[in-house]
Amino acid sequence: MTALHDFSLAVESGEFITILGSSGSGKTTALNALAGFMPVSSGDIRIGGRSVTNLPPERRELGMVFQNYSLFPHMSVAENVAFPLKMRGTARKDIDGRVKRALHAVQLEAYRARMPRELSGGQQQRVAIARAIVFEPPVLLMDEPLGALDLKLREALQFEIKSIQHQLGCTVVYVTHDQREALAMSDRIVVLRDGHIAQVGTPLDMYDQPRSRFVAQFIGQTNLFPADLGSAGQISIPGLGISWTDARPATRSVPYFISVRPEHLTRRPGRDGDVRIDATLDEAIFLGDVIDFSARHSSGTAIHFREPRIASAPRLQRGDTVSLAFSPGDAALVPDL
């Protein structure tokens, strides 16, 4: 069985690139092949212009951070971090300084004498990061490193990992199934689907300009409406009884959908060129800074919209009629791929 198909990707020096996909998409396979833990049946892997395809993991000079930390329980924090240096034969007089710098980068200098069992999950993960960067690798591989942590700690460590990367200037290849994490941390995202690359782009491109129905659904929340393409750029959503003109090119060889993000559907007064939809409110979910709404068009089509929480705004109740609008420029035309 082939886990990856025609996987071709160039990563720039100093770039933070995330491989994003659901379980079984091939993202961990890609990382393991890069690390040397899994052979490739064809193709070449090059780091800094040098082919490493046939080199064992220890000769690729890559830092690696796993989800399960993989710390040595019988070693102190400092000893864990020093281990890669000792394995590389680094002079003893240089080891302590490097360990100190690595622990400073992850804000754990005061914990150097502690054992892993004396640390929280977040602290253990930071030790794992320090161990991966202590020998200053040009490329740092991270396999779901925050997956076992609670939400607030994940968000805090996202900032720390980005800060460490900027300090070191290293290249990071990061694997996750969490699309919010990918959007927050990446310079570019690679979306994998069944071993194929579905799209590569910046977080902004992925969110605003998805190239397929799959990517539009996978990255963030969206409303997807089956669309008809008419002549002269005419686009209509028959189920909602709305249409407008769009100059973007599209082929009629596959079905198309219109993707509208919930925050682009608003209750603002009508503006020239806006597309308007009337619906009945079903539910409202309070999320602190924003409120998510679920409504339904008279055709039965579900519509989701999102608004910032404003204390002075009148509260919507279930059964209220809402008039929503979006700009055609905020709607993505995506093929059913």
Side-chain angles (χ1 to χ4, degrees):
M1 179 179 176
T2 303
L4 291 173
H5 308 266
D6 300 322
F7 185 92
S8 180
L9 179 67
V11 182
E12 297 294 327
S13 176
E15 186 175 22
F16 195 116
I17 195 161
T18 297
I19 301 176
L20 175 66
S22 57
S23 178
S25 62
K27 58 187 185 299
T28 298
T29 298
L31 199 74
N32 284 337
L34 179 56
F37 299 143
M38 183 174 293
V40 295
S41 55
S42 63
D44 192 24
I45 300 172
R46 306 183 72 84
I47 300 175
R50 175 181 69 126
S51 176
V52 299
T53 308
N54 298 315
L55 293 181
E58 65 272 15
R59 292 185 57 197
R60 298 192 183 195
E61 289 298 303
L62 302 172
M64 189 83 183
V65 182
F66 300 93
Q67 180 178 343
N68 60 0
Y69 318 139
S70 300
L71 300 179
F72 298 113
H74 62 288
M75 292 184 181
S76 69
V77 166
E79 290 169 337
N80 265 284
V81 176
F83 183 78
L85 298 175
K86 292 180 178 179
M87 293 299 293
R88 286 167 172 78
T90 304
R92 183 174 298 178
K93 61 183 178 63
D94 296 328
I95 289 178
D96 191 61
R98 288 199 177 194
V99 169
K100 186 175 181 180
R101 287 195 297 272
L103 288 176
H104 176 75
V106 298
Q107 302 176 31
L108 286 177
E109 305 101 304
Y111 295 77
R112 58 179 296 125
R114 293 196 185 183
M115 304 301 286
R117 65 179 177 274
E118 299 175 301
L119 304 176
S120 67
Q123 290 168 339
Q124 290 184 52
Q125 189 58 287
R126 281 190 278 168
V127 174
I129 293 171
R131 185 178 60 186
I133 65 175
V134 71
F135 61 96
E136 298 177 359
V139 180
L140 182 61
L141 309 181
M142 309 189 85
D143 187 9
E144 306 256 15
L146 308 181
L149 306 177
D150 62 61
L151 177 61
K152 285 193 174 181
L153 188 53
R154 283 205 311 269
E155 292 176 343
L157 281 178
Q158 286 172 17
F159 283 102
E160 289 194 24
I161 290 171
K162 287 293 290 182
S163 177
I164 291 167
Q165 188 226 359
H166 288 145
Q167 290 177 42
L168 299 177
C170 65
T171 303
V172 174
V173 181
Y174 192 99
V175 160
T176 185
H177 67 276
D178 188 326
Q179 33 116 340
R180 292 178 65 88
E181 200 167 275
L183 289 171
M185 301 181 71
S186 314
D187 295 320
R188 284 192 300 154
I189 300 171
V190 182
V191 174
L192 282 186
R193 181 187 188 188
D194 299 330
H196 295 273
I197 294 178
Q199 187 172 341
V200 181
T202 67
L204 193 61
D205 286 342
M206 287 284 183
Y207 193 79
D208 288 344
Q209 301 173 35
R211 295 181 186 170
S212 67
R213 178 186 181 186
F214 172 80
V215 174
Q217 286 180 304
F218 194 71
I219 300 287
Q221 292 180 303
T222 195
N223 294 281
L224 281 168
F225 307 118
D228 281 351
L229 305 183
S231 59
Q234 188 76 7
I235 295 176
S236 63
I237 302 177
L240 301 180
I242 57 176
S243 63
W244 66 94
T245 301
D246 194 305
R248 283 173 288 190
T251 174
R252 289 169 175 76
S253 60
V254 295
Y256 271 82
F257 283 77
I258 289 294
S259 169
V260 183
R261 300 292 182 185
E263 66 272 18
H264 290 150
L265 278 163
T266 65
R267 291 185 288 149
R268 66 185 177 216
R271 299 189 310 194
D272 288 346
D274 274 358
V275 178
R276 303 204 66 84
I277 306 170
D278 291 331
T280 302
L281 190 69
D282 283 342
E283 298 289 348
I285 300 176
F286 176 70
L287 298 175
D289 57 337
V290 297
I291 303 175
D292 273 0
F293 296 97
S294 175
R296 195 163 299 277
H297 185 260
S298 58
S299 64
T301 301
I303 299 170
H304 298 275
F305 64 102
R306 180 180 301 131
E307 295 181 349
R309 179 192 175 197
I310 302 173
S312 60
R315 295 187 61 182
L316 288 174
Q317 304 292 331
R318 182 185 298 178
D320 285 351
T321 298
V322 290
S323 183
L324 303 170
F326 68 89
S327 167
D330 290 331
L333 180 63
V334 294
D336 189 14
L337 300 174

